Amino acid sequence: MSRGFREPALVLLAALPFAAREAHADHVTQCTAIELCYCINTEYRDAIAANVARVRELIARNRAQGKAIGYLSIPLSPAGGGTFAVNSDIASNTAQKVTARFGPSATWILNPGAEAGDQMSGASGADFMLMWTQILEGRAGLGEDFDFFYFAGPSDFAGYFGLTGDGDLVRLESWFDNRVAADPSFKQAVDQGKLSKPGFRNYYGLRASVGFSYGSHDEWNIARTINERRRGATDYGIGNQLPIFFDGRPVTPGGYETPAAAGDVGRCVN
């Protein structure tokens, strides 16, 4: 693994406090119970702690209703040619579809696009990932607050745009033109050179999925690490791993054990 990812120890991790090492004035390395470390801006520490507590309470309320708790991993940043606004809409749409698939009375999905908190404006990917890692790993580092992970794939994006497998890139060009005509903020981004039709078309037609997201790569490794720890825990074992879905389908057994390249994981460099 690159960028500071380390294999977790299988004992005593739940008792380890978060570790922080000064790098420079406003950034420190902070590590979590499953030993993933991020270079975070100290200005967001209070906001991260507050949102972790808020989301844990939100999860607890839904679990008290007997619901299975899932986590949606989906690209939100505009990296690669997309837009945050469109990605947020797709995240909401995907969360609704997954909830409908399993039943709203029995399922609640944590959508990071909707539950990132109000105080994280301007935060980096590492700041966000420290927050999501703490939420996902749980207090014991075994992902005990969750029942499954859902990683968004090409089909989830294609469904949002109504792609059929016939002239998909052309359909995306038309979608782009219609959005420019109807959405002033979208048009402004185009006029300012922040967004282009070829870039938009190629991203959503060819790349849009967790495979091209820094944060989703880290979330995959979080799921893998939690399941590795569960396999080695007396009270869990293979039969109690957290289920993982990608693009609507359960992953193969080997997928539970396969790491991905790190995204925002990494210590501060002095």
Side-chain angles (χ1 to χ4, degrees), residues 101 150-157 208-210 245-251:
R101 170 180 174 177
Y150 187 98
F151 288 85
S155 297
D156 297 302
F157 285 83
S209 81
V210 295
F245 293 82
F246 168 69
D247 204 27
R249 296 175 179 270
V251 302

Side-chain angles (χ1 to χ4, degrees), residues 28-237:
V28 295
T29 295
Q30 188 157 332
C31 303
T32 75
I34 60 173
E35 289 196 325
L36 293 184
C37 301
Y38 302 92
C39 183
I40 68 160
N41 187 326
T42 56
E43 293 180 2
Y44 292 100
R45 271 181 163 169
D46 290 344
I48 290 170
N51 206 49
V52 168
R54 183 188 68 82
V55 173
R56 282 178 173 168
E57 176 59 28
L58 183 59
I59 291 170
R61 290 202 302 270
N62 281 278
R63 184 172 289 283
Q65 298 174 33
K67 295 182 178 181
I69 308 300
Y71 181 80
L72 172 64
S73 180
I74 190 167
L76 289 168
S77 82
T83 78
F84 177 79
V86 171
N87 287 342
S88 296
D89 287 344
I90 297 172
S92 178
N93 179 265
T94 303
Q96 291 172 11
K97 286 189 173 183
V98 175
T99 301
R101 170 180 174 177
F102 295 116
S105 65
T107 313
W108 184 77
I109 304 296
L110 174 54
N111 172 10
E115 301 298 343
D118 298 328
Q119 306 300 317
M120 295 293 288
S121 177
S124 70
D127 298 323
F128 278 108
M129 284 312 304
L130 174 67
M131 179 175 71
W132 295 125
T133 303
Q134 291 181 23
I135 290 169
L136 289 169
E137 69 186 6
R139 293 173 177 84
L142 289 164
E144 61 272 17
D145 293 333
F146 290 86
D147 296 294
F148 67 97
F149 284 82
Y150 187 98
F151 288 85
S155 297
D156 297 302
F157 285 83
Y160 174 82
F161 291 107
L163 305 183
T164 64
D166 182 13
D168 287 346
L169 296 185
V170 177
R171 287 176 183 267
L172 284 167
E173 289 179 339
S174 296
W175 197 99
F176 182 94
D177 291 338
N178 292 335
R179 186 68 174 248
V180 168
D183 185 344
S185 62
F186 193 90
K187 183 178 185 303
Q188 183 181 39
V190 175
D191 292 341
Q192 293 176 345
K194 298 178 180 178
L195 187 63
S196 72
K197 184 189 291 187
F200 182 94
R201 176 200 66 201
N202 291 346
Y203 176 75
Y204 288 109
L206 303 173
R207 293 195 298 275
S209 81
V210 295
F212 296 85
S213 165
Y214 283 92
S216 292
H217 272 228
D218 288 334
E219 287 161 353
W220 180 273
N221 288 328
I222 292 166
R224 187 199 68 81
T225 301
I226 288 172
N227 279 330
E228 181 179 62
R229 300 188 78 230
R230 284 187 170 217
R231 291 193 299 273
T234 302
D235 295 337
Y236 287 87

